[in-house]
């Protein structure tokens, strides 16, 4: 059942399929002034970027777009059409609903694999550190280690740091390959009781991450599961495996690298310094990038000896977010414009690890003086250099990479460059812990109550979590920015991760100077109150939207939600909280979305996943999910309508909660758990 | 005609709404798959042997028991049942298959809901109801059979806004419809302070699959009153279509599961109207139709279901209808009250001659509502003068008792007791809406003329609120009461030559027949010999017919040949012999909507009485619901007898079995209500004063073993009486 009070708003997108890509022949598909400047500058240069390729792909195949193209077995591709007759099914006899459910669930499996495998790499780093097998990493945040241990039920009593760290690491690894029927610890330890029961009743709590993915790939193999509900539930289980992997990633990264604290930085291509050695950190795994950043200062002299003014690190995608959160490293740009960072001509070296790295960066780099270095065994690009990273030789590898960059800098001298003078100030570094620190100045005992009080008084409408990618079906960054502006004005408290956070960072939304202009009066007042009470630690004030990290840090957004629910004494579907991936692109966005829907959150996606080919699967995702889990998908490509729907979803929960409270009082009954 | 013929004309050949059928088919897939996942998990968690039942019902999981005959008592029985229904989701997109998919969806929803009752009897918080127990279904049975409740509306989804939802519902409540509400329409109505709950026959069920509790309710009516055996699916569907005048109103965005559930309704013969615009391949003539205009949607739904309206609109500032009969007005909501020994109050209906009445005249003697202050104790006298060519003095009492119902129909008006023990309240809301004493007159005149048109030609109402005038008229009323009582004392079974039948319940319990005698009120408690006599005057072809007493076959047991003949004919040859004065041998049958049930307790050589309001165990080893489930639908069950509460003080209380001396147990709730009157009757029987205190109740025990020693201590007469089982 849809959850908007305004029945004029439906859960189907307001824009017909053929009209979703506006101005499909125009490559100037961005609202980022730096990106537009770059595209204009290189307009006739012959350099091909994602913008050109997106336009070249139009119009895209409608069968594939709607999810009714099945390539799971090699009798295919089968494209199904109509309600009856031979053409309405694949060669094997699969219905539209089976095909769409399988396709979309497999995307979730891809996403869960990416997030969790990333987490696994990090756990191995902690394990090596705990066992003294590497000198390059150690437990940096012992308090976090103890908190995590307590959360997942590991006693710290009488254990030294490394012994405890080893136990935590092994417990985390067990979540990947647990052989019992117990659900993953990093999932159940962070849920409300209501969610635990719901996941158990519906059999979607993964017992191990790997098994959830393997099981999904098996059940969506040709000739296995044909039942759309069963397949979608298997997909949701992968979504929760993704949640588990993300949570492990965040927890262990914080333990090894430190839990983020508010920091000051900048974003957009203007952060690149022509006279410095520019090293761009791109990808998702923070271990190598953080090592580079940590080792940077000791390499400054070598850079200066080569004629540079120093070393300038900057980030793209989530590895960029990780080093921003912990070390204040500036953001160069986000996903869609990654090639443009190379086209500035001043990027001496781009080091990449995993995920969201366009293979084309190497081709673009050919035209400039940029070295592309891959580092992970599962992520290589022909023509680029590869330096195998492992946790035991991290510092050594980092030194090698920086020296390669310095070399590259030397060769760059005298070559042309074009760096748009566009950048914005950014305040970032908001872990749940650091946000609660801020809130604790209002309510020391129950910090989250500070926000709940604002919401219950009607001054703040709720919380919106922004995440996800860029997708040129939208205009680059436009959905992110227009929707966040719309929500901020309506006094919605915003937290964000991933490329969404970077879009906001580039556009100045994380610059405290713009709070009064961007936020509604009540939200601005709340932020100013927090600033005032925390002025001893906050040097530069607070931003309109809170950057909570990389895409694995969507776990922080889940924790924020759980904390709200527990503080309000309700299950998550009653919390005025929405999530949005305004420009979803990757498989990870699908698995994150599944996780949020299962966790009871209205989840907007601003670019269409391949689901419209089956009314049945569409109904399950958008309507029945709401009845079963309280969370549901909202697919809407028009940003103004999307903003309206997100606000409506928040307002709806507030309205319903108001009625429920009044009714409980009137009938002298406990608050209903209905949602 | 075969049941399936009711669907003729719904689909035009070549224009089958295949999209709609596909939605139903896929919705059934979703619902049954989801049910299977939950069920498999539940069996894994709790074990197949785990007991499973809804609270307070004798019909297992009613949707399943009614439509398949399966008596589900444990989790492990469900997979096979669900599999049968999964197996009837067929691929061809036809209307017939869509209906079968609908039935499968009802089964799935029933399973999903039943699982919620594994760990608790109350999975939902008030006012949300979830499953509604048998006693409620029985309680409103009489109103369903006499069409006071002309039909049932199942509203699911959400209206455009709360005010529109309230408007639709006000219209339905005004017509006396029973309401089943699912999804956000509940919140919308609660927001608008629409009165919902068991007392208002407006049931907020919950969300999503909770809507199945509407089907659970309707199908039990078939089993309780229609005596349709479990699993006689086609009979049950036929019953539903003929007698349960239900329809569905779907508000707001549609989804496939809702559509499939709605085809479950269609399977039972209930059509659906939605406020959503439907495409051409989503509409079914008269079965699945669109009406976006909220002013027309209720009318259209009633029209396609063929609901005949019984309530009339009265021009008063408050809503009125049977929905508000059960409304209580708490002190906090009360503007002021009348009677209850705090102020002088009475009501009187008297027959007058044609010269002393001006038809339709309403006079208020004394201050109007707005001239009193909040919290005042207001004196009141309501005098209804009636003239009718066929009016008799004997009917005064019958008509006077109607004042209670008619006034209670007003929203914000509350009335209990009768004559000069009346106690009335008016709510703050009603006063705020502009209610005046004058409106009592409007209600009474309109209702008397509607319901008693055959005996009532002219009505005039005078409301006294001036203290002195009230006192003056009260004296007049007392004289009338005394005269009437003297006449009533003469009313004995032996002294009349005509009994009256009541076949009212045959609209729901086709084989049930009641014979009413002056000393034997109908087991529903709602129809007495005098009521029936008056009803016969009103409509000589109606449900109440005279039965000449003639010569008795067995005077002690209360058997007459004329009555036997009547029973045989009107029960469609199901009953041959009926004894009116015993519950042990050929006892009267029950329709199902009785107020209380009596059961023999062999160990105590007596009987226990379970009332509808008592949900606990009784010494018979059964709860009211289980007891009631074992007799009803027009079947004779020796050792059991459904009764109206008033029968407990009757001069003909199972005389052949030993009368009131046999009563060994009744719940305290009943004791409190009937204490004085019952004690007086017992004293007259020669059982001594305060006999009620010798009767055990739940505080003494809930089993024969528990109460027997106590009864011995009290020296209860039943223990020394002849064996209740006879020789």
């Amino acid at each position: 059942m849809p959850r908007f009070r305004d029945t004029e708003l439906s859960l189907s997108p307001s824009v017909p399929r053929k009209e979703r890509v506006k101005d499909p022949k125009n490559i100037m598909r961005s609202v980022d002034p730096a990106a537009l400047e770059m595209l204009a500058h290189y307009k006739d240069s012959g350099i091909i970027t994602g913008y050109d390729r997106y336009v070249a792909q139009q119009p895209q195949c409608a069968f594939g777009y709607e999810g009714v193209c099945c390539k799971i077995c090699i009798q295919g591709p089968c494209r199904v059409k109509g309600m009856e007759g031979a053409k309405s099914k694949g060669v094997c006899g699969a219905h539209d609903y089976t095909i769409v459910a399988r396709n979309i669930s497999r995307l979730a499996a891809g996403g869960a694999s990416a997030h969790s495998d990333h987490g696994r790499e990090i756990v191995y780093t902690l394990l090596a550190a705990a066992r003294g097998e590497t000198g390059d990493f150690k437990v940096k945040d012992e308090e976090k280690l103890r908190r995590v241990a307590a959360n997942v039920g590991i006693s710290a009593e009488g254990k030294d740091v490394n012994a405890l760290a080893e136990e935590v690491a092994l417990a985390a690894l067990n979540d990947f390959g647990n052989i019992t029927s117990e659900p993953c610890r990093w999932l159940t330890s962070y849920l409300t009781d209501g969610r635990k029961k719901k996941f158990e009743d519906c059999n979607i709590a993964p017992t191990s991450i790997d098994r959830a993915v393997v099981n999904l790939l098996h059940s969506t193999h040709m000739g296995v599961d044909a039942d759309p509900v069963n397949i979608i539930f298997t997909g949701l289980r992968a979504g929760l495996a993704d949640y588990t992997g993300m949570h492990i990633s965040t927890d262990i990264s914080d333990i090894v690298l430190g839990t983020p604290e508010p920091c000051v930085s900048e974003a957009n291509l203007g952060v690149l310094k022509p006279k410095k050695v520019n090293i761009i950190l791109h990808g998702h795994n923070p271990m190598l990038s953080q090592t580079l950043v940590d080792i940077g200062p000791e390499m400054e002299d070598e850079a200066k000896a080569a004629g540079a003014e120093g070393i300038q690190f900057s980030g793209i995608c989530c590895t960029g977010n990780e080093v921003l959160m912990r070390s204040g490293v500036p953001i160069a740009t986000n996903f869609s414009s990654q090639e443009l960072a190379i086209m500035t001509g001043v990027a001496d070296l781009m080091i990449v690890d995993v995920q969201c790295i366009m293979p084309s960066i190497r081709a673009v780099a050919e035209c400039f003086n940029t070295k592309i270095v891959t580092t992970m065994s599962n992520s290589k690009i022909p023509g680029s250099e590869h330096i195998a990273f492992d946790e035991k030789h991290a510092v050594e590898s980092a030194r090698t990479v920086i020296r390669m960059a310095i070399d590259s800098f030397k060769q760059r001298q005298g070559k042309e460059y074009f760096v748009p003078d566009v950048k914005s100030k950014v305040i970032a570094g908001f872990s749940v812990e650091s946000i609660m620190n801020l809130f604790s100045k209002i309510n020391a005992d129950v910090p989250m109550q500070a926000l709940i009080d604002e919401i219950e008084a009607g001054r703040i409408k709720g919380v919106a979590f922004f995440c996800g990618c860029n997708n040129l079906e939208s205009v680059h960054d436009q959905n992110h920015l227009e929707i966040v502006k719309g929500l901020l004005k309506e006094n919605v408290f915003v937290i964000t991760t991933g490329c969404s956070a970077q879009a906001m960072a580039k556009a100045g939304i994380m610059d405290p100077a713009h709070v009064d202009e961007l936020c509604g009066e009540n939200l601005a007042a709340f932020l100013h109150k927090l600033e005032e009470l925390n002025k001893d630690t906050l040097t530069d004030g607070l931003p309109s939207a809170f950057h909570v990290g990389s895409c694995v840090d969507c776990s922080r957004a889940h924790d924020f939600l759980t904390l709200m629910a527990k503080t309000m004494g309700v299950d998550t579907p009653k919390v005025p909280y929405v999530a949005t991936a305004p420009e979803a692109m990757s498989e990870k966005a699908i698995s994150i979305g599944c996780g949020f829907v299962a966790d009871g959150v209205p989840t907007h996606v601003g670019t269409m996943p391949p689901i419209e080919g089956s009314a049945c699967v569409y109904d399950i995702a958008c309507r029945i999910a709401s009845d079963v889990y309280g969370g549901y998908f909202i697919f809407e490509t028009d940003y103004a309508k999307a903003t309206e729907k997100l606000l409506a979803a928040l307002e709806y929960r507030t309205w319903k909660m108001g009625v429920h409270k009044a009714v409980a009082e009137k009938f002298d009954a406990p608050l209903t758990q209905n949602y | 005609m075969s049941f399936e013929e009711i669907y003729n004309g719904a689909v035009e050949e070549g224009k089958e709404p295949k999209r709609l059928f596909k939605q139903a088919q896929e919705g059934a897939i979703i619902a049954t798959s989801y049910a299977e996942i939950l069920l498999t998990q539940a069996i894994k968690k709790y074990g197949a042997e785990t007991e499973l039942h809804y609270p307070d019902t004798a019909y297992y999981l009613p949707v399943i028991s009614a439509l398949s005959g399966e008596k589900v008592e444990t989790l492990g029985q469900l997979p096979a049942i669900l599999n049968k229904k999964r197996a009837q989701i067929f691929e061809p997109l036809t209307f017939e298959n869509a209906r079968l998919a609908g039935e499968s969806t009802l089964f799935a929803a029933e399973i999903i809901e039943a699982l919620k009752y594994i760990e608790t009897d109350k999975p939902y918080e008030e006012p949300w109801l979830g499953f509604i127990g048998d006693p409620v279904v029985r309680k409103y049975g009489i109103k369903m059979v006499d069409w006071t409740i002309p039909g049932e509306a199942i509203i699911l989804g959400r209206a455009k806004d709360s005010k529109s939802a309230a408007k639709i519902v006000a219209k339905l409540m005004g017509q006396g419809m029973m309401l089943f509400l699912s999804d956000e329409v509940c919140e919308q109505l609660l927001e608008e302070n629409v009165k919902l709950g068991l007392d208002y026959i407006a049931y907020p069920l919950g969300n999503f699959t909770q809507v199945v509790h509407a089907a659970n309710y309707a199908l039990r009516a078939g089993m309780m009153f229609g005596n349709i055996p479990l699993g006689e699916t086609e009979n049950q569907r036929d019953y539903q279509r003929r007698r349960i005048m239900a329809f569905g109103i779907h508000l707001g965005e549609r989804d496939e599961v809702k559509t499939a559930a709605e085809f479950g309704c269609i399977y039972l013969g209930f059509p659906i109207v939605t406020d959503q615009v439907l495409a051409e391949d989503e509409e079914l003539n008269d079965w699945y139709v669109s009406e976006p205009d909220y002013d027309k949607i209720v009318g259209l739904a009633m029209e396609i279901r063929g609901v005949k309206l019984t309530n009339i609109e009265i021009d008063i500032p408050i809503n009125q209808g049977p929905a508000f009969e059960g409304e209580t007005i708490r002190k906090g909501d009360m503007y002021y009250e009348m009677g209850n020994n705090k102020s002088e109050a009475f009501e009187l209906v008297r027959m007058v001659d044609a010269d002393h009445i001006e038809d339709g005249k309403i006079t208020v003697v004394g201050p109007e509502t707005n001239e009193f202050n909040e919290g005042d104790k207001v004196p009141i006298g309501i005098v209804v003068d009636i003239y009718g060519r066929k009016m008799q003095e004997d009917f005064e009492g019958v008509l006077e008792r109607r004042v209670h119902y008619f006034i209670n129909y007003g929203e914000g008006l509350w009335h209990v007791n009768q004559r000069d023990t009346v106690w009335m309240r008016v709510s703050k809301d009603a006063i705020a809406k502009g209610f005046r004493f004058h409106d009592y007159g409007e209600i009474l005149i309109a209702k008397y003329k509607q319901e008693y048109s055959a005996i009532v030609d002219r009505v005039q109402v005078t409301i006294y609120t001036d203290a002195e005038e009230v006192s003056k008229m009260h004296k007049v009323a007392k004289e009338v009461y005394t005269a009437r009582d003297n006449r009533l004392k003469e009313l004995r079974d032996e002294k009349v030559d005509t009994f009256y039948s009541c076949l009212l319940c045959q609209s729901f319990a086709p084989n049930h027949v009641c014979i009413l005698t002056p000393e034997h009120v109908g087991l529903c408690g709602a129809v007495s010999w005098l009521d029936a006599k008056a009803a016969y005057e009103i409509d000589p072809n109606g449900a109440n017919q005279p039965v000449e007493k003639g010569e008795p076959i067995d005077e002690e047991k209360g058997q007459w040949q004329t009555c036997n003949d009547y029973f045989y004919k009107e029960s469609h040859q199901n009953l041959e012999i009926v004894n009116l004065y015993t519950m042990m041998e050929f006892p009267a049958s029950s329709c199902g909507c009785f107020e209380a049930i009596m059961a023999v307790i062999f160990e105590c050589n007596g009987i226990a009485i379970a009332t509808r309001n008592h949900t606990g165990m009784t010494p018979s080893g059964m709860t009211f619901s289980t007891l009631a489930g074992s007799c009803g639908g027009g079947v004779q069950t020796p050792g059991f007898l459904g009764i109206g509460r008033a029968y407990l003080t009757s001069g003909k209380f199972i005389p052949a079995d030993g009368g009131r001396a046999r009563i060994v147990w009744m719940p305290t709730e009943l004791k409190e209500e009937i204490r004085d009157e019952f004690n007086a009757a017992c004293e007259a029987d020669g059982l001594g004063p305060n006999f009620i205190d010798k009767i055990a109740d739940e505080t003494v025990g809930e089993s024969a073993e528990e109460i027997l020693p106590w009864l011995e201590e009290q020296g209860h007469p039943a223990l020394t009486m002849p064996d209740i089982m006879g020789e």
Side-chain angles (χ1 to χ4, degrees), chain A residues 1-5 7-12 83-84 89 95-97 197-198 200-203 227-230 233 614-616 619-620 623-624 627-628 652 655-656 659-660 663 666-667 669-675, chain B residues 18-19 22 25-26 29-30 33-34 36-38 41 44-46 86 91-93 119 124-128 157-160 162 183-184 187-188 190-191 193-194 196 206-208 210 252-258 281:
Chain A
M1 168 180 31
R3 305 283 165 172
F4 302 126
R5 274 190 79 189
T7 49
E8 296 301 308
L9 295 174
S10 93
L11 281 159
S12 304
M83 285 191 280
E84 290 177 307
K89 293 178 185 177
H95 272 276
D96 54 1
Y97 51 68
K197 180 166 179 356
K198 177 62 79 179
E200 185 191 4
D201 289 349
C202 294
N203 192 23
D227 182 327
V229 175
N230 219 40
F233 274 32
S614 161
C616 175
D619 255 13
I620 295 171
R623 300 185 176 102
I624 312 309
D627 292 311
V628 174
Y652 180 81
W655 166 73
K656 207 166 197 178
V659 174
H660 287 172
V663 164
K666 186 170 165 188
F667 288 82
L671 187 71
T672 173
Q673 294 300 308
N674 290 353
Y675 44 77
Chain B
K18 298 216 165 163
R19 182 174 308 276
K22 187 164 198 273
Q25 180 204 75
E26 293 183 345
I29 291 172
I30 296 171
S33 297
Y34 179 48
E36 184 278 320
I37 290 170
L38 295 180
Q41 278 299 96
K44 200 152 79 179
K45 182 172 172 186
Y46 301 103
R86 279 166 69 97
E91 293 239 342
L93 300 172
E119 287 189 359
Y124 306 111
E125 306 295 352
E126 267 190 289
W128 285 270
R158 183 180 60 252
K160 275 180 255 187
S162 299
D183 293 337
E184 270 85 41
E187 276 88 353
Q188 289 186 314
L190 289 164
E191 184 181 31
N193 281 316
V194 175
L196 301 181
N207 295 336
F208 192 42
Q210 273 112 291
E253 204 169 3
R254 297 170 57 237
D255 65 55
E256 293 192 335
V257 173
K258 278 202 171 68
D281 56 356

Side-chain angles (χ1 to χ4, degrees), chain A residues 15 21 54 73 85 90 167 205 244 301 315 347 374 379 450 455 479 526 542 592 603 631 658 668:
Chain A
V15 188
V21 181
Y54 188 82
C73 87
E167 205 174 327
T244 311
D301 288 345
T374 60
S379 175
I455 292 172
N479 280 2
F526 180 62
L542 287 172
I592 293 170
T603 302
D668 198 16

Side-chain angles (χ1 to χ4, degrees), chain B residues 686-697:
Chain B
L687 293 168
N690 298 320
F691 178 68
I692 206 162
D693 294 331
K694 287 189 176 169
I695 297 172
D697 55 40

Side-chain angles (χ1 to χ4, degrees), chain A residues 368-387:
Chain A
F368 299 91
N369 193 79
T370 306
K371 277 188 171 30
I372 305 289
V373 179
T374 60
T375 55
M376 306 301 277
S377 63
N378 63 344
S379 175
K380 297 171 189 174
I381 301 173
S384 64
E385 297 182 46
H386 186 75
I387 295 182

